[in-house]
């Protein structure tokens, strides 16, 4: 049912408006309107009342309207939709995220919140209520999912009944593939609520039994495709398939889009999403606008690409009667752009209200998240530098080589996340060199030890420093640190400095702090504006550049935080 209580009055008013006997709120005229149903563009106008489109091409000689907006011949496309985003683990809280995201034309997101709720532990239900408080005031539509993994089932059950939650978030493969009773219960609750269920796992890694089980129990979509085989299986088993751009490397994304084009997979099977994306990328490259443009560049018809970021997603979540097209009865979420193949959101409307212009947000919520900030509970007081020394997995027979772990950034795909390599071994020390390339060292450190502290040491490909160290922490599902450097003493010092915060990213050199980014909202989000957040992230990268790092792509803090996804997946973190 549409919002409001007096529906009789509303339907009568709409009738009277269309007869010219009552006032509409807004007439948007002089537009080139995208019809996502017929995949055509036509010249016309849109009449808006009570947040929704009520007429296409109304007779302007008879209608009454409070305001007229001249579209200047721009293309009008539906407000863009991100089909899957971890909106609480981008470092930015919901209103700060709006500053960076909405000016790119995004008016709706389907969002996971599992990381923050997992970080909150026993306060997970309270954290969810605080996170969602005032969600309806945000300048984007938020549809959220209760945590399918990393939280106590009682948190999941409570959150399933909250607004704006519409279903169950991604489950943990290592549990659901073993017939875990907690997962059975979470799935049952979601089914009882009639909610959606997010899928999660590269389908080529699943057994045939799992590929049948997941859609059979109601998994609604799949966002974890990394190659052509993944795509083929995903659509064959009936998953509405989400192509993700936030965490994948450019080569992974290219391969996925090439497969769609070359194999001529019908694009109605696909939606577009980011999964994880930094505020910096939103500001520099864009959001769904950039993704659509990239799809067009790779050979996907621009109109079909726009549908993949609007109508297809709305239809997949059974909301195409509300959003996803510019047709009567739908919310007036509208983006005006001067091109369909290279999306340029000049004007962004939500509910018929202009909320962004020329990449600047005009209206935001005034939600305050400072009450969610938490204090540190330290756990590394007894950590010693020796615990961060690389212990070889194996030493060669002649004693000149050591086998060690080499880790890579998450975005190049799980298959490439880690490998065991041979490096030079001299005087009892593994030398961080492989195939003529020098690498930094990486330590994965359990924050709270129950007896022997769990530590994994190896080399790392994604960030390089000649000296000094950089470290951060992630609290979910078990608190761990990652720290990168060349020297165990410096790395130990850096980790202990991060330990003073509930969450932070810190750069140190010569046992002194060079740059600090606090993440005080349950250890996963910064209580900062977008300007403050980007400035702090830039300071981290600048400090590391002075220590030999040459960063490309996502800021270092985002790269490091994304490591925990694969560290958890490949069981480098104990639970």
């Amino acid at each position: 049912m549409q919002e409001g209580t007096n529906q009789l009055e509303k339907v009568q008013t709409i009738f009277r408006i269309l007869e010219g006997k009552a006032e509409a709120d807004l007439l948007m005229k002089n537009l080139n309107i995208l019809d996502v149903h017929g995949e055509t563009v036509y010249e016309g106008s849109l009449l808006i009342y009570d947040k929704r489109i009520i007429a296409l091409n109304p007779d302007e000689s008879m209608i009454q309207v409070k305001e007229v907006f001249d579209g200047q011949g721009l293309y009008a496309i539906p407000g863009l939709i991100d089909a899957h985003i971890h909106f609480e683990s981008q470092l930015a809280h919901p209103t700060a995220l709006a500053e960076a995201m909405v000016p790119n034309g995004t008016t709706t997101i389907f969002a996971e919140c599992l990381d923050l709720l997992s970080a909150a532990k026993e306060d997970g239900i309270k954290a969810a209520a605080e996170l969602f408080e005032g969600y309806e005031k945000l300048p984007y539509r938020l549809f959220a999912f209760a945590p399918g993994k990393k939280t106590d089932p009682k948190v999941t059950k409570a959150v399933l009944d909250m607004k704006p939650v519409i279903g169950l978030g991604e489950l943990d493969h290592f549990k659901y593939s073993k017939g875990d009773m907690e997962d059975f219960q979470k799935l049952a609750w979601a089914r009882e609520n009639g909610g959606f269920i997010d899928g999660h796992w590269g389908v080529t890694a699943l057994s045939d039994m799992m590929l049948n089980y997941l859609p059979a129990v109601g998994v609604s979509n799949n966002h974890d495709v990394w190659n052509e085989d993944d795509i083929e299986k995903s659509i064959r088993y009936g998953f509405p398939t989400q192509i993700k751009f936030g965490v994948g490397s450019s080569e992974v994304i290219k391969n996925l889009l090439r497969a769609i084009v070359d194999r001529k997979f019908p694009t109605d099977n696909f939606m577009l999403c980011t999964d994880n994306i930094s505020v910096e990328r939103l500001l520099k490259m864009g959001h769904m606008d950039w993704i659509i443009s990239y799809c067009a560049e790779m050979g996907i018809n621009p109109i079909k690409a726009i549908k993949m970021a609007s109508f297809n997603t709305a239809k997949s979540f059974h909301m195409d009667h509300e959003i996803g097209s510019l047709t009567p009865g739908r919310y007036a979420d509208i983006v005006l752009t001067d091109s369909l193949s290279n999306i340029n959101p000049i004007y962004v409307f939500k509910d018929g209200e202009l909320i962004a212009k020329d990449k600047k947000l005009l209206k935001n919520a005034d939600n305050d998240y400072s009450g969610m900030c938490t204090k540190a509970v330290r756990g590394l007081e007894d950590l010693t530098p020796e615990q961060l020394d690389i212990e070889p997995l194996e030493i060669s027979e002649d004693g000149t080589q050591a086998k060690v772990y080499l880790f890579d950034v998450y975005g190049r795909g799980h298959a490439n996340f880690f490998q065991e390599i041979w490096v030079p071994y001299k005087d009892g020390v593994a030398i961080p060199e492989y195939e003529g390339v020098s690498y930094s060292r990486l330590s994965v450190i359990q924050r709270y030890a129950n007896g022997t502290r769990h530590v994994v040491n190896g080399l790392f490909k994604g960030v390089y420093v000649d000296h000094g160290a950089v470290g951060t922490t992630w609290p979910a599902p078990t608190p761990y640190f990652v720290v990168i450097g060349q020297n165990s003493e410096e790395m130990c010092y850096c980790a202990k400095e991060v330990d003073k915060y509930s969450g932070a990213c810190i750069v140190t050199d010569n046992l002194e702090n060079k740059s600090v980014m606090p993440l005080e909202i349950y250890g996963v989000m910064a209580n900062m504006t977008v300007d403050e957040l980007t400035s702090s992230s830039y300071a981290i990268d600048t400090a590391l550049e002075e220590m030999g790092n040459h960063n490309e792509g996502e800021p270092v803090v985002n790269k490091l935080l994304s490591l925990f996804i694969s560290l958890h997946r490949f069981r480098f973190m104990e639970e």
Side-chain angles (χ1 to χ4, degrees):
M1 180 180 291
Q2 294 183 7
E3 69 284 338
T5 55
N6 194 340
Q7 296 302 324
L8 177 59
E9 180 181 337
K10 286 190 177 183
V11 297
Q12 287 177 317
T13 301
I14 292 171
F15 186 85
R16 294 177 65 234
I17 289 171
L18 297 179
E19 278 198 322
K21 297 177 180 178
E23 263 191 334
D25 296 322
L26 176 67
L27 174 67
M28 297 180 65
K29 58 189 296 184
N30 193 17
L31 302 171
N32 281 294
I33 302 170
L34 173 61
D35 170 13
V36 296
H37 302 286
E39 297 187 353
T40 61
V41 174
Y42 65 94
E43 294 181 4
S45 57
L46 301 170
L47 189 64
I48 296 161
Y49 166 71
D50 191 30
K51 303 181 180 180
R52 296 176 184 260
I53 299 168
I54 63 167
L56 308 178
N57 293 334
D59 184 346
E60 295 182 25
S61 68
M62 62 176 289
I63 62 168
Q64 301 178 45
V65 64
K66 295 176 183 176
E67 182 182 353
V68 176
F69 182 90
D70 185 355
Q72 307 161 47
L74 296 170
Y75 293 101
I77 65 174
L80 303 180
I81 304 173
D82 190 331
H84 183 90
I85 182 172
H86 292 251
F87 87 120
E88 33 66 270
S89 59
Q90 315 304 302
L91 308 183
H93 56 56
T95 57
L97 179 64
E99 290 183 66
M101 178 179 71
V102 174
N104 296 312
T106 303
T107 56
T108 299
I109 62 173
F110 290 85
E112 293 276 359
C113 59
L114 62 94
D115 290 310
L116 184 134
L117 304 193
S118 177
K121 304 298 182 188
E122 64 274 7
D123 289 334
I125 297 172
K126 173 177 175 286
E130 293 172 324
L131 181 68
F132 297 143
E133 186 175 357
Y135 80 91
E136 69 283 350
K137 297 188 293 184
L138 294 168
Y140 54 89
R141 295 189 197 286
L142 171 62
F143 298 104
F145 295 88
K149 61 184 179 184
K150 299 184 181 180
T151 63
D152 189 286
K154 67 182 181 184
V155 175
T156 298
K157 189 175 191 328
V159 176
L160 276 168
D161 292 328
M162 293 182 181
K163 291 182 178 181
V165 175
I166 61 168
L168 181 67
E170 53 193 48
L171 297 168
D172 184 343
H173 165 76
F174 292 101
K175 290 184 177 180
Y176 72 66
S177 63
K178 295 178 181 178
D180 182 78
M181 182 54 69
E182 286 189 359
D183 280 3
F184 289 155
Q185 183 61 77
K186 290 175 182 178
L187 286 164
W189 287 330
R191 287 161 62 101
E192 288 166 4
N193 282 19
F196 297 94
I197 302 172
D198 274 349
H200 186 242
W201 191 260
V203 292
T204 48
L206 295 178
S207 67
D208 287 344
M209 189 277 282
M210 278 294 107
L211 281 168
N212 287 297
Y213 171 73
L214 293 176
V217 298
V219 171
S220 313
N221 57 68
N222 172 41
H223 71 275
D224 210 18
V225 291
W226 293 88
N227 54 52
E228 184 175 335
D229 289 340
D230 280 353
I231 290 177
E232 183 175 31
K233 280 193 174 182
S234 184
I235 63 176
R236 177 169 295 168
Y237 279 79
F239 292 108
T241 301
Q242 301 164 350
I243 306 297
K244 60 183 177 183
F245 286 72
V247 295
S249 70
S250 58
E251 195 54 42
V252 169
I253 294 166
K254 284 181 182 177
N255 288 340
L256 294 176
L257 296 181
R258 285 192 192 109
I260 292 172
V261 173
D262 293 346
R263 293 286 299 275
K264 296 182 173 59
F265 290 126
T267 56
D268 288 349
N269 291 299
F270 302 108
M271 299 168 276
L272 301 177
C273 72
T274 54
D275 200 6
N276 289 281
I277 190 168
S278 69
V279 165
E280 284 78 7
R281 270 185 68 177
L282 290 172
L283 294 172
K284 292 177 182 177
M285 297 177 63
H287 190 206
M288 308 311 294
D289 54 336
W290 167 76
I291 295 172
I292 292 168
S293 303
Y294 190 71
C295 288
E297 182 182 328
M298 291 298 297
I300 293 177
N301 178 286
I303 292 178
K304 292 184 182 294
I306 292 169
K307 288 179 66 174
M308 290 162 67
S310 57
F311 179 73
N312 290 7
T313 305
K315 187 175 182 180
S316 174
F317 287 108
H318 304 173
M319 295 183 188
D320 50 310
H321 65 297
E322 301 272 27
I323 56 177
S325 67
L326 302 183
T327 46
R330 279 67 176 179
Y331 282 109
D333 299 348
I334 303 162
V335 176
L336 302 188
T337 171
D338 55 11
S339 170
L340 296 182
S341 59
N342 186 18
I343 304 298
N344 175 29
I346 299 173
Y347 298 96
V348 181
F349 291 79
K350 175 182 176 285
D351 293 334
E353 181 178 3
L354 182 64
I355 56 172
K357 177 182 177 183
D358 296 330
K359 292 299 187 82
K360 296 293 183 183
L361 189 65
L362 303 178
K363 180 182 179 181
N364 202 355
D366 58 358
N367 299 351
D368 181 6
Y369 302 97
S370 59
M372 300 174 72
C373 292
T374 53
K375 302 286 188 181
V377 178
R378 300 184 65 177
L380 294 188
E381 289 91 340
D382 62 346
L383 183 70
T384 65
E386 291 74 23
Q387 290 174 277
L388 308 188
D389 292 341
I390 295 178
E391 186 73 24
L393 303 172
E394 185 180 341
I395 298 174
S396 63
E397 290 186 8
D398 63 7
T400 64
Q401 289 187 305
K403 182 182 286 186
V404 301
Y405 288 122
L406 173 62
F407 296 94
D408 198 355
V409 293
Y410 168 64
R412 283 192 268 266
H414 289 300
N416 300 317
F417 173 64
F418 79 97
Q419 55 185 306
E420 297 178 4
I421 61 170
W422 290 97
V423 300
Y425 189 65
K426 186 176 181 181
D427 299 328
V429 176
I431 310 301
E433 296 177 359
Y434 178 61
E435 295 183 344
V437 178
S438 296
Y439 292 102
S440 294
R441 290 166 43 192
L442 170 72
S443 289
V444 182
I445 309 164
Q446 186 180 32
R447 187 167 194 174
Y448 305 112
N450 184 13
T452 302
R453 187 181 305 280
H454 181 234
V455 179
V456 178
N457 300 311
L459 308 184
F460 185 52
K461 252 175 135 173
V463 175
Y464 178 80
V465 291
D466 294 321
H467 52 90
V470 58
T472 191
T473 186
W474 191 254
T478 303
Y480 265 79
F481 296 84
V482 293
V483 60
I484 293 165
Q486 295 286 359
N487 175 278
S488 294
E489 183 182 9
E490 186 77 47
M491 294 168 70
C492 183
Y493 171 82
C494 184
K496 288 186 174 184
E497 288 301 297
V498 177
D499 193 37
K500 295 178 180 178
Y501 296 81
S502 59
C505 181
I506 299 180
V507 178
T508 69
D509 195 17
N510 292 321
L511 308 184
E512 292 183 1
N513 291 357
K514 297 298 181 182
S515 184
V516 178
M517 174 191 280
L519 302 173
E520 297 172 309
I521 299 179
Y522 289 106
V524 300
M525 288 194 297
N527 190 31
M528 303 178 186
T529 66
V530 162
D531 287 344
E532 292 168 340
L533 181 60
T534 53
S535 176
S536 185
S537 179
Y538 177 75
I540 294 286
D541 284 359
T542 300
L544 288 171
E545 188 173 335
E546 294 172 358
M547 293 154 51
N549 189 56
H550 301 287
N551 193 49
E552 295 181 3
E554 297 281 21
V556 167
V557 60
N558 295 86
K559 284 184 176 180
L560 297 186
L561 290 169
S562 71
L563 283 177
F564 291 99
I565 299 171
S566 288
L567 288 170
H568 174 254
R569 173 171 282 194
F570 288 103
R571 294 306 189 247
F572 284 102
M573 297 157 59
E574 292 183 346
E575 295 190 39

